[in-house]
Structure formats: structure tokens, C-alpha cells
């Protein structure tokens, strides 16, 4: 089950993606966003967080980049679509699909050896525990991942109820 | 040329970053003039070009995303279109960013004013292998669509021909239909009907007017018809109750639904290709660890580029001026004039011109480098990198560059505030720049610290003055933010455009225009300021200049009770009056006032160390110079802002010196 929510500032990590459901309550901000064509239904992908924090660069799915403040995004109602595995939005028991493994060659090899591949399905066994314990749905294997590894794994929310 | 041809006005309108300014330069060449839109600190540029037998005035409207105003710029554009509709709208679209641009295009098309759409940067999309079906666009919009590259000039003849045709045969634009929720349609219909019945005389479509009225708080600016106003108010209330989001947001939604469809039609099935080079560059320039060091390095280069190159040029100019001046004033014709007039010509007018000229090299260099940063797309990255830091002061990230460059010279820094897209940040930055320690003030400090302090202590004093300047900038930032002097802040949502190669032509043109602009706008004020100071120092004529008996001397003595608590004597007060012309001449004026050859000896016998520091603090914080004030006035076009800058500078300088000097005395220093 997926739902629109206010995504907390701490969960606005690079490579997260969400769909805007409503533009938030600040009229001026909402109007500005709307006039730039950023409307409910728009996919936002977070490209990066500024080195000093506070400001993020997002892509609107049209190949255009924007800078916004984190509070402004947090004030919107968004539906998370994809996020790195370390995100606090990744919930226990839900099934996710691996969208992207963003690492170098050795990382790719290590993941392949552990049985993780793009489009593979995974579940989180325990939330908030480090290292992160996941279960590979297809092979029913259990893998534990370090924080650095989890950061490079981008997972996608899939739209059916968890099967746990 | 046919003298009977009516004058034609074309308004150039687009969303930001569409290459509108490049097209403006291309069309108008050197016939540009700049001013401000009435009542606001938004720059108005216009230029003239000829189209066949017609003389066309091209008005460059500020870049806006919509006619439903959020920002001052958008308000300017809306008011312009409503109150003095141009003959033709020339709308520029970025070929690589069609959907966003079409939002505004559709809104303007609804006005029924004749329009031509120029799809710009066609060379870029072509290079990326994207083909656009512009025929489809023209068909749907019902207006001519021309492909163009303002950078290379490609497509310009076609554009001119299309404009010419439309002037010759002005046809009412067919308004593209945008479907809206039924409730809105009903509101539009009723208000449109009421407008039709009222005796309003306008070339604008009535539905377009109805939409604008529904967005506005006050309808009376466009109609004196009570019925229309009352009906609009009624619908505003009703819409507010029944719509979940605000009216402009709902309308934007409808518009962009249509825009998306149109963009898809034009682009066909082509996938959106990410620009690899662009993301690689951003990976470096916005890197989590390297982004800031690279930025600092580039800022260092920028500072060096402007002032490292500019200072020697200024030096050459000043020597040339001195020589030319002494040659000119040794001519028989001039020597035969009365001494007072000679002094007026030489120390007044000639000096004023010299002050104005001395700024030209750095203004040219400043805008040369600023345009490089802006046109290349790095400016948006600067705003992104610095946003967190500057946001604390209520400022735009771009303000960082202006404030930083203020440490070289306040004048170009103030002029540079116009790169900021919102007037709130612009005004705030303008008011903060005078507290930056410019090199002219540094000269005073180096000279005075060398007299009053040992070489071991002097650098620390100067360093502390820099610290004092930082603190003044930051504190004033907080205070100004508190009092909302620049209006209300605007939400920070900024497009980050792709990196582009700046052309030498556009960068060079920009420097040239800015110099011209400075000469026409700020220069008269600077010369006037210099002349006023000349009068103060030389009147009455029967006493030695700058002596106690002159107006300046008398003023110094009148002001003595004000400056006495700061430990500043009347002689230094006169020097401070001189300092209003330019800080560079404060030291020279001290020599004139003390009237001796051994200035250092004379001063150190008159002034204590504490007093000298108090004097330096005052110099640091009070009005930088008449040129800065002139720049603030010509940028803000607001007497209020200029006065605030002038008065707050004096007040803060007095207060800081007072606190320093009195607490020093309290602790037993002198």
C-alpha cells in the first residue's frame, strides 16, 4: 500500500523519487511551483543535496533541474516511489524492487555474488537495525548489508500488499 | 521610409533562461536604453529596430513564468499587458524546455493580442538529435512559429518576415481553448458577459480580462464598472469555498495539461535524453566535497580578474587624467580665467569626471566576468551552493557574489545585484554591500595604521576592521530581514539551466551596455556630489580652501558636538565630508586640512591611537561614496531605499565608533 505523505527532511536523500500529490499549504510556494509546471502528478527525482545541506536539486521528469529548499519539498504531499535502501521510508515487511545498483565494478560483483540484481525483489527483515537485514524474495536468501552498500541500492515501491 | 507608418510596439516575453536577452540584443543592436518600470526596482529595457517601413520599439519584459503574479516582475508584465497592450507579443520558447515555456505561451495567447512564437536554441536540440514538429505547434496555437538560434542568428530573417507580415495584416489571434473545471468555466462566462456589457474599451479578449480579474485583489485598476467588480468578488468567494487549491494553481493545472499535450505533439515519441556532459559537469561543480573548494577558487579568480586587472587600468587612467588636466589648465585660455573659476573647473568638474572614469575599467571587467558566470550557467550553481548560508540572512545565494565583490569596490557590486531574479534579495543585498570593506577604504586604513601603530600591530588592526565589516554585514542582514525593508521574501524555486558556452559577443555587449548605463544613470549624480563637496570646501572664496573658515570647516565645527563623543575632531570631520566623494581622497584631504608637510607627525600629535581607530571604524561603516549612493539610487529607483542606505550607514557608523571609543575610555585607554 502506498500513500501520499509529508516526507520528512531527513528522508530527502539523493536518488529518492516521489510523485507530488498536493503542493502544500503555502500559497505563494504552491503558486510558484504550479506556474513552473510542477503540479500534482509530477515525478520528482532528487539529484543531490547541496554541500551545505538545506537545498536540494530535483529533476522533474522533463529533463529539467530545479533547486528547492528541503522544507518546501517536505511541506508538499508526496508519494514515495523510489529511494535508497538506507532511507527511513523503507518499511519493514514491504516488498521492494531493486531499481538500480549505483556502484563501481567491485560493488556490482559483490552484489551479484550475494544474489542482488536489478529488478530483483527484496524485503526488509528488521527496520532500524544496522547492518541492514534483507530477504531476497525470489530465492528466499537472507543477506546483510552495510550502510555504505545500502546507500547505493535504489529500491522501488511496488504496488501490491506485502506478503509477510 | 514611409512617414505615415504607425509606430509599432512589440513586447518580448518568455520564461527565464530562454535566451530572450540574446534575441533582444540581436534585434536591437546598440539602440538599447535601460530604465526602470515605474515604481519598482525592476529593470526596463527597450530598443528600436526597423522592419520594412515600420519603426519598431521592442520592449524586453522581465522573464516570468505566468501572468498570475507571485513576484514583482510578474506583476510588471501583467500590468504592462493589461494597461498598455503592445501591438504584438514576441514570445520566446527554449526548444529544449518546451512544456514549461508553453505554460506562459498559452496564457498570453488567451489575450487575443497578435503573437509570434520564436522557438529558440534550435541548434542545441538539433545537436542532441531531437526534431521538432513546429508546424503542429503553429497549427494548435494559431500563430506563426519560427525556429531560431539567437546565438548564431539563424532564423532571424524568417522571424523578421513573420513580424512584418503580422504588422501589415494584423489578424485577431484565434484563442487556443484550454479546458477547465465546469465551475471555473461558469465563472469565466459570467464575468466575461458582464465585461462585455460594460463600456470597457480594450483590445484584450474579455475572457482573458476575466481571468486576470479573478486573480487580482483589486479589480478597480482595470474597470470602473461596479457590476463587474462585484461579480468578480462574488466568484472569488465562491471559488475559494469550493476549490481545494487556490484559483491560480487550478488554472496552472489546466494550462499545463494543454501544454503537456502540445509538447508531446511537437516532440512525438522521442524519449527525453539526459545530457551526459551536463550531468558530468554538475557532478564536479556541485560535488559534495569538491564543489565548495572549486567555488572558492573560482571566486578568487573572479576577484583577481576584476580587481587585479582593473586596478592597473584605473591607475593608468588616473595618471592620464592628471596629465591631461595639468596640460589643459596650463593653457593660456584657462589661465586667464579667475582663480575661483579655475578651481571650480579643475577641482570640481574635472575631478568629478575623473572619479566617474575611474570606475569604468572595473565596471567593464566586473560585468565581463559576471556575464561569463551567468551565461555559462554557473550562476545558478552558485545560488545552489550558497543558498543555505545566504538564506540565513534572508538572501539569495547569488547575493554572495555581489557581497564578495563589494570587498573590491562597492559600485560594480551594487550594479551587479541586478543578476538576482527577485527584488527582495536585490534591495537587501544593495543595502548590505556598503558595509563591505572596499579597497579604497583599505588605503585609508593602511595609511593610518602605519602612522599610529607599530608594524607588528598594524596588520591586526586591519584584520579586525575586516572582522568588523563581516559582523556589520551579517548583523544588518538580520536586522533588515526583521524589518522587511525589501518587501516580503519570495519562495526559492530556481531552474538550473544546462551549461552553455558564452559567446564573446554577448559578454562583450553586456560590458559595453553596463558602462554606457553607468555613464548615463550614475555619472551625473556622482559629478553633482563632487561639486557639492567642492562648494563646501571652497566657499566663501576669501579663505584658504578646506580651512576652518570654509563652509566645510564651519560644518565640521557645528558637527563637533556630534563627533566629539567619538573622539573625532573637526579636522577629521572635514576629511569625512571629503570621503563622501571617494574614500581614496580622505588621506589627501587630511594633508590639505592639516596644511603641513609632515602629515604623519602632525596627526600623531593631534590624535590618539584610540581616536584613530574610532575614525577608521567610522570610515568603514558610513556612506561608502557618492558613486555607491548613485549606484544604489539608479538600481533601486527608490528614494526611500537610497535614504535608508545613507542614514543607516551614518547611524551605524556613529553608534559603532561611539561604543568603541567610550568603552575604550571607560577601560582607561586613550
Amino acid at each position: 500500500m502506498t500513500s501520499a505523505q509529508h516526507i520528512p527532511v531527513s528522508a530527502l536523500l539523493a536518488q529518492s523519487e516521489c510523485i507530488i500529490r498536493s503542493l502544500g499549504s503555502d500559497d505563494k510556494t504552491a503558486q510558484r511551483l504550479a506556474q513552473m509546471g510542477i503540479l500534482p502528478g509530477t515525478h520528482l527525482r532528487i539529484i543531490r543535496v547541496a554541500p551545505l545541506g538545506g537545498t536540494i536539486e530535483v529533476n522533474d521528469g522533463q529533463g529539467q533541474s530545479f533547486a528547492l529548499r528541503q522544507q518546501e519539498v517536505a511541506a508538499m504531499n508526496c508519494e514515495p516511489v523510489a529511494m535508497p535502501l538506507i532511507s527511513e521510508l523503507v518499511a519493514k515487511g514491504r516488498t521492494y524492487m531493486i531499481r538500480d545498483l549505483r556502484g563501481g565494478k567491485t560493488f556490482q560483483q559483490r552484489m551479484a555474488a550475494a544474489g542482488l540484481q536489478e529488478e530483483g525483489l527484496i524485503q526488509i527483515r528488521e527496520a532500524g537495525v544496522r547492518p541492514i537485514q534483507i530477504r531476497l524474495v525470489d530465492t528466499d536468501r537472507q543477506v546483510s548489508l552495510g550502510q555504505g552498500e545500502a546507500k547505493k541500492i535504489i529500491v522501488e515501491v511496488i504496488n501490491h500488499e506485502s506478503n509477510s | 521610409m514611409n512617414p505615415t507608418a504607425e509606430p509599432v510596439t512589440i513586447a518580448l516575453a518568455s520564461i527565464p533562461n530562454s535566451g530572450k536577452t540574446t534575441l533582444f540584443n540581436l534585434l536591437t543592436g546598440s539602440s538599447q536604453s535601460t530604465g526602470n518600470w515605474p515604481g519598482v526596482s525592476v529593470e526596463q529595457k527597450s530598443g528600436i529596430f526597423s522592419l520594412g517601413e515600420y519603426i519598431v520599439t521592442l520592449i524586453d519584459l522581465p522573464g516570468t513564468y505566468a501572468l498570475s503574479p507571485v513576484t514583482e516582475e510578474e506583476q510588471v508584465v501583467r500590468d504592462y499587458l493589461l494597461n498598455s497592450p503592445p501591438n504584438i507579443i514576441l514570445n520566446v520558447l527554449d526548444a529544449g524546455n518546451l512544456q514549461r515555456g508553453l505554460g506562459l505561451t498559452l496564457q498570453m495567447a488567451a489575450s487575443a493580442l497578435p503573437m509570434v512564437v520564436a522557438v529558440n536554441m534550435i541548434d542545441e536540440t538539433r545537436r542532441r538529435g531531437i526534431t521538432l514538429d513546429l508546424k503542429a505547434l503553429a497549427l494548435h496555437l494559431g500563430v506563426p512559429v519560427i525556429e531560431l538560434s539567437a546565438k548564431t542568428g539563424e532564423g532571424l530573417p524568417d522571424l523578421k518576415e513573420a513580424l512584418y507580415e503580422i504588422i501589415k495584416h494584423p489578424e485577431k489571434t484565434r484563442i487556443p481553448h484550454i479546458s477547465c473545471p465546469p465551475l471555473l468555466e461558469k465563472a469565466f462566462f459570467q464575468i466575461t458577459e458582464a465585461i462585455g456589457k460594460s463600456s470597457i474599451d480594450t483590445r484584450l479578449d474579455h475572457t482573458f480580462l476575466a481571468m486576470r480579474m479573478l486573480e487580482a485583489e483589486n479589480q478597480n485598476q482595470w474597470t470602473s464598472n461596479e457590476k463587474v467588480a462585484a461579480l468578480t468578488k462574488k466568484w472569488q468567494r465562491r471559488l475559494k469555498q469550493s476549490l481545494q487549491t487556490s484559483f491560480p494553481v487550478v488554472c496552472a493545472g489546466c494550462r499545463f495539461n494543454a501544454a503537456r499535450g502540445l509538447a508531446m505533439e511537437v516532440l512525438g515519441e522521442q524519449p527525453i535524453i539526459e545530457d551526459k556532459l551536463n550531468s558530468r559537469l554538475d557532478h564536479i561543480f556541485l560535488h559534495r566535497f569538491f564543489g565548495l573548494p572549486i567555488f572558492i577558487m573560482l571566486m578568487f579568480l573572479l576577484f583577481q580578474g576584476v580587481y587585479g586587472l582593473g586596478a592597473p587600468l584605473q591607475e593608468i587612467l588616473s595618471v592620464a587624467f592628471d596629465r591631461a588636466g595639468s596640460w589643459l589648465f596650463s593653457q593660456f585660455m584657462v589661465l586667464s580665467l579667475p582663480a575661483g573659476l579655475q578651481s571650480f573647473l579643475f577641482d570640481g568638474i574635472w575631478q568629478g569626471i575623473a572619479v566617474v572614469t575611474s570606475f569604468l575599467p572595473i565596471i567593464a571587467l566586473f560585468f565581463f566576468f559576471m556575464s561569463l558566470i551567468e551565461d555559462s550557467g554557473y550562476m545558478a550553481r552558485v545560488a545552489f551552493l550558497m543558498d543555505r548560508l545566504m538564506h540565513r540572512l534572508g538572501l539569495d545565494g547569488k547575493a554572495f557574489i555581489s557581497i564578495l565583490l563589494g570587498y573590491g569596490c562597492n559600485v560594480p557590486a551594487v550594479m551587479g545585484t541586478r543578476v538576482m531574479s527577485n527584488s527582495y534579495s536585490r534591495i537587501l543585498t544593495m543595502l548590505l554591500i556598503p558595509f563591505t570593506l572596499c579597497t579604497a577604504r583599505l588605503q585609508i586604513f593602511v595609511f593610518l595604521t602605519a602612522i599610529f601603530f607599530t608594524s607588528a600591530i598594524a596588520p591586526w588592526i586591519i584584520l579586525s576592521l575586516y572582522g568588523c565589516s563581516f559582523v556589520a554585514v551579517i548583523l544588518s542582514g538580520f536586522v533588515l530581514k526583521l524589518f522587511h525593508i525589501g518587501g516580503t521574501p519570495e519562495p526559492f524555486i530556481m531552474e538550473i539551466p544546462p551549461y552553455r558556452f558564452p559567446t564573446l559577443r554577448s559578454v562583450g555587449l553586456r560590458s559595453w551596455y553596463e558602462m554606457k548605463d553607468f555613464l548615463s544613470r550614475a555619472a551625473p549624480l556622482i559629478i553633482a556630489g563632487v561639486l557639492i563637496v567642492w562648494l563646501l570646501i571652497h566657499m566663501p572664496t576669501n579663505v584658504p580652501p578646506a580651512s576652518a573658515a570654509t563652509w566645510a570647516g564651519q560644518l565640521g565645527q557645528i558637527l563637533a558636538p556630534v563627533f566629539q563623543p567619538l573622539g573625532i575632531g573637526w579636522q577629521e570631520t572635514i576629511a569625512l565630508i571629503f570621503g563622501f566623494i571617494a574614500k581614496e581622497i580622505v588621506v589627501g584631504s587630511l594633508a590639505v586640512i592639516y596644511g603641513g608637510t609632515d602629515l604623519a607627525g602632525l596627526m600623531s600629535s593631534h590624535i590618539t591611537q584610540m581616536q584613530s581607530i574610532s575614525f577608521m571604524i567610522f570610515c568603514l561603516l558610513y556612506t561608502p561614496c557618492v558613486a555607491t549612493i548613485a549606484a544604489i539610487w539608479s538600481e533601486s529607483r527608490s528614494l526611500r531605499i537610497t535614504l535608508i542606505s545613507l542614514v543607516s550607514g551614518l547611524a551605524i557608523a556613529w553608534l559603532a565608533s561611539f561604543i568603541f571609543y567610550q568603552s575604550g575610555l571607560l577601560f582607561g585607554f586613550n
Side-chain angles (χ1 to χ4, degrees):
Chain A
M1 196 190 76
T2 55
S3 63
Q5 54 178 288
H6 292 285
I7 299 178
V9 166
S10 55
L12 294 171
L13 304 169
Q15 301 309 326
S16 300
E17 192 177 311
C18 63
I19 301 173
I20 301 175
R21 288 302 173 208
S22 80
L23 291 176
S25 53
D26 182 58
D27 267 358
K28 237 178 162 180
T29 309
Q31 197 177 334
R32 162 95 313 177
L33 286 165
Q35 293 183 345
M36 292 173 92
I38 306 173
L39 290 150
T42 304
H43 271 252
L44 288 186
R45 186 160 58 90
I46 300 179
I47 308 289
R48 57 171 60 80
V49 179
L52 298 173
T55 319
I56 52 175
E57 182 185 345
V58 298
N59 192 297
D60 69 345
Q62 293 286 316
Q64 290 294 318
S65 286
F66 293 88
L68 301 162
R69 297 211 174 101
Q70 280 177 329
Q71 299 103 296
E72 268 143 22
V73 181
M76 294 180 206
N77 250 313
C78 288
E79 183 184 316
V81 178
M83 61 222 85
L85 200 50
I86 49 161
S87 168
E88 62 192 83
L89 297 172
V90 176
K92 182 192 165 186
R94 289 256 303 271
T95 308
Y96 294 91
M97 187 179 83
I98 298 176
R99 170 188 276 197
D100 199 359
L101 296 168
R102 300 177 63 91
K105 223 175 196 163
T106 47
F107 171 75
Q108 301 282 0
Q109 282 165 356
R110 205 162 62 234
M111 289 301 111
L116 275 81
Q117 55 189 5
E118 279 171 24
E119 297 192 10
L121 300 181
I122 58 168
Q123 276 183 352
I124 302 280
R125 295 182 53 221
E126 200 74 57
V129 192
R130 300 280 181 271
I132 296 159
Q133 308 290 327
I134 62 162
R135 188 176 74 93
L136 305 182
V137 176
D138 305 314
T139 55
D140 203 19
R141 254 166 82 180
Q142 308 205 343
V143 181
S144 96
L145 294 165
Q147 179 114 5
E149 291 172 322
K151 214 168 157 179
K152 296 178 196 163
I153 302 173
I154 315 301
V155 295
E156 201 173 299
V157 177
I158 47 176
N159 267 332
H160 56 73
E161 292 287 326
S162 58
N163 50 4
S164 62
Chain B
M1 214 160 278
N2 182 356
T4 55
E6 292 268 310
V8 178
T9 308
I10 300 181
L12 193 56
S14 81
I15 66 166
N17 304 314
S18 307
K20 181 167 61 68
T21 307
T22 318
L23 179 60
F24 180 76
N25 288 340
L26 191 68
L27 283 170
T28 60
S30 59
S31 74
Q32 300 183 9
S33 57
T34 45
N36 272 53
W37 291 93
V40 288
S41 74
V42 178
E43 190 182 26
Q44 183 192 40
K45 278 207 293 198
S46 60
I48 289 168
F49 68 100
S50 64
L51 264 181
E53 67 267 35
Y54 299 100
I55 305 269
V56 175
T57 306
L58 188 66
I59 309 246
D60 187 14
L61 298 175
T64 46
Y65 287 103
L67 300 177
S68 331
V70 180
T71 64
E72 211 165 45
E73 283 77 7
E74 284 163 356
Q75 203 166 331
V76 161
V77 174
R78 182 203 56 189
D79 290 348
Y80 171 78
L81 287 181
L82 256 59
N83 300 335
S84 48
N87 297 86
I88 300 172
I89 298 174
L90 173 52
N91 174 227
V92 188
L93 286 173
D94 171 0
N97 194 5
L98 275 181
Q99 186 184 318
R100 180 150 305 117
L102 281 170
L104 179 70
T105 308
L106 287 170
Q107 210 176 16
M108 288 191 307
S111 71
L113 292 173
M115 185 159 85
V116 173
V117 173
V119 177
N120 193 15
M121 307 196 209
I122 200 79
D123 50 331
E124 258 177 54
T125 38
R126 199 178 293 142
R127 205 177 48 240
R128 282 165 61 190
I130 302 168
T131 48
L132 303 172
D133 184 2
L134 296 182
K135 278 209 185 88
L137 188 61
L139 206 68
H140 281 280
L141 288 173
V143 302
V145 175
I146 308 294
E147 54 176 21
L148 183 84
S149 167
K151 209 166 169 175
T152 62
E154 181 195 334
L156 187 67
D158 295 344
L159 176 67
K160 282 190 166 172
E161 201 185 306
L163 288 171
Y164 180 78
E165 279 304 312
I166 269 209
I167 299 171
K168 199 108 197 172
H169 314 285
E171 279 168 50
K172 220 173 176 192
T173 309
R174 177 174 56 82
I175 295 166
H177 184 76
I178 296 168
S179 53
C180 281
L183 189 66
L184 287 191
E185 300 268 11
K186 198 172 163 192
F188 297 156
F189 181 76
Q190 286 191 5
I191 299 172
T192 305
E193 213 176 34
I195 293 173
K197 280 180 192 153
S198 74
S199 53
I200 199 163
D201 175 34
T202 178
R203 292 170 46 224
L204 299 165
D205 182 72
H206 291 174
T207 309
F208 177 76
L209 267 180
M211 289 176 183
R212 301 289 82 75
M213 284 189 191
L214 271 173
E215 282 159 3
E217 304 244 318
N218 175 15
Q219 289 77 27
N220 298 336
Q221 49 182 325
W222 303 306
T223 175
S224 53
N225 189 301
E226 290 297 320
K227 260 190 196 150
V228 175
L231 186 67
T232 311
K233 285 267 182 272
K234 194 192 100 191
W235 271 108
Q236 278 178 334
R237 275 194 301 276
R238 193 159 162 206
L239 291 177
K240 201 170 182 181
Q241 282 162 5
S242 32
L243 294 176
Q244 280 175 339
T245 37
S246 73
F247 170 70
V249 174
V250 177
C251 282
C254 308
R255 224 160 48 229
F256 277 100
N257 273 338
R260 194 174 312 124
L262 259 178
M264 275 158 94
E265 194 108 7
V266 175
L267 283 164
E269 296 285 299
Q270 295 169 90
I272 296 155
I273 317 160
E274 201 185 357
D275 193 340
K276 278 270 161 49
L277 180 66
N278 203 61
S279 44
R280 254 183 234 147
L281 283 173
D282 266 342
H283 191 69
I284 300 167
F285 285 120
L286 300 180
H287 191 273
R288 204 142 52 101
F289 305 123
F290 307 129
L292 285 175
I294 290 172
F295 168 69
I296 291 166
M297 207 179 69
L298 287 173
M299 287 302 107
F300 177 77
L301 285 177
L302 170 68
F303 201 91
Q304 285 302 315
V306 176
Y307 300 112
L309 293 175
L313 285 175
Q314 283 183 303
E315 191 60 33
I316 292 168
L317 265 178
S318 121
V319 170
F321 249 87
D322 280 352
R323 291 216 181 125
S326 38
W327 176 82
L328 200 64
F329 290 91
S330 64
Q331 297 305 301
F332 177 73
M333 283 288 285
V334 183
L335 284 176
S336 60
L337 294 170
L341 191 58
Q342 273 188 48
S343 165
F344 176 76
L345 287 175
F346 187 69
D347 298 323
I349 291 184
W350 188 257
Q351 182 70 30
I353 297 170
V355 169
V356 170
T357 325
S358 72
F359 286 108
L360 290 180
I362 43 174
I363 286 172
L365 285 164
F366 178 89
F367 281 102
F368 180 83
F369 286 107
M370 275 304 244
S371 311
L372 277 186
I373 292 178
E374 232 192 333
D375 293 359
S376 63
Y378 190 66
M379 187 58 97
R381 273 80 187 173
V382 170
F384 178 69
L385 289 170
M386 285 290 114
D387 178 60
R388 180 79 182 271
L389 200 68
M390 302 310 280
H391 183 43
R392 299 247 161 108
L393 299 177
L395 290 173
D396 197 304
K398 292 176 187 170
F400 184 87
I401 293 192
S402 282
I403 291 178
L404 175 82
L405 287 160
Y407 281 89
C409 177
N410 290 182
V411 176
V414 169
M415 293 174 72
T417 54
R418 69 176 72 152
V419 303
M420 278 176 259
S421 53
N422 77 66
S423 70
Y424 171 79
S425 298
R426 229 172 9 235
I427 299 283
L428 228 58
T429 313
M430 247 178 246
L431 290 172
L432 294 184
I433 286 170
F435 297 117
T436 56
L437 196 164
C438 67
T439 48
R441 277 174 272 199
L442 186 61
Q443 286 177 22
I444 307 176
F445 303 152
V446 169
F447 180 79
L448 290 182
T449 49
I451 294 178
F452 292 99
F453 298 93
T454 62
S455 56
I457 298 176
W460 292 104
I461 302 281
I462 291 180
L463 203 67
S464 313
L465 285 164
Y466 270 107
C468 183
S469 159
F470 293 143
V471 171
V473 169
I474 292 168
L475 281 184
S476 334
F478 281 127
V479 172
L480 290 173
K481 189 179 162 189
L482 222 61
F483 288 108
H484 286 293
I485 283 181
T488 44
E490 282 158 16
F492 174 79
I493 300 153
M494 179 187 67
E495 256 188 285
I496 302 183
Y499 290 100
R500 291 186 172 116
F501 260 114
T503 61
L504 199 62
R505 187 189 138 86
S506 71
V507 170
L509 270 178
R510 176 85 189 267
S511 302
W512 172 243
Y513 292 144
E514 296 292 352
M515 278 203 294
K516 251 174 66 175
D517 195 37
F518 173 76
L519 283 179
S520 65
R521 288 218 270 175
L525 220 68
I526 296 174
I527 293 176
V530 172
L531 289 180
I532 289 170
V533 175
W534 180 88
L535 278 177
L536 287 177
I537 291 160
H538 290 83
M539 291 292 134
T541 45
N542 53 356
V543 295
S547 66
T550 59
W551 290 353
Q554 287 168 20
L555 196 63
Q557 281 152 28
I558 293 168
L559 291 175
V562 180
F563 283 94
Q564 193 262 331
L566 317 180
I568 296 174
W570 67 265
Q571 295 96 329
E572 289 91 60
T573 310
I574 301 179
L576 291 175
I577 296 173
F578 268 105
F580 188 66
I581 301 182
K583 289 287 169 292
E584 284 93 339
I585 63 174
V586 167
V587 171
S589 70
L590 281 169
V592 178
I593 296 159
Y594 278 97
T597 42
D598 179 23
L599 179 59
L602 272 169
M603 283 191 76
S604 54
S605 65
H606 267 85
I607 302 169
T608 67
Q609 285 187 340
M610 282 292 292
Q611 286 170 339
S612 77
I613 297 180
S614 177
F615 179 73
M616 285 190 273
I617 293 177
F618 198 91
C619 276
L620 169 66
L621 299 173
Y622 88 112
T623 322
C625 59
V626 63
T628 307
I629 291 296
I632 291 177
W633 186 78
S634 69
E635 286 304 317
S636 69
R637 282 290 154 138
S638 155
L639 195 62
R640 188 178 77 99
I641 296 299
T642 315
L643 282 177
I644 286 174
S645 171
L646 200 70
V647 172
S648 70
L650 285 169
I652 290 169
W654 191 89
L655 217 65
S657 298
F658 179 80
I659 291 169
F660 171 81
Y661 188 63
Q662 291 301 323
S663 55
L665 289 182
L666 219 62
F667 286 108
F669 295 101
N670 61 55

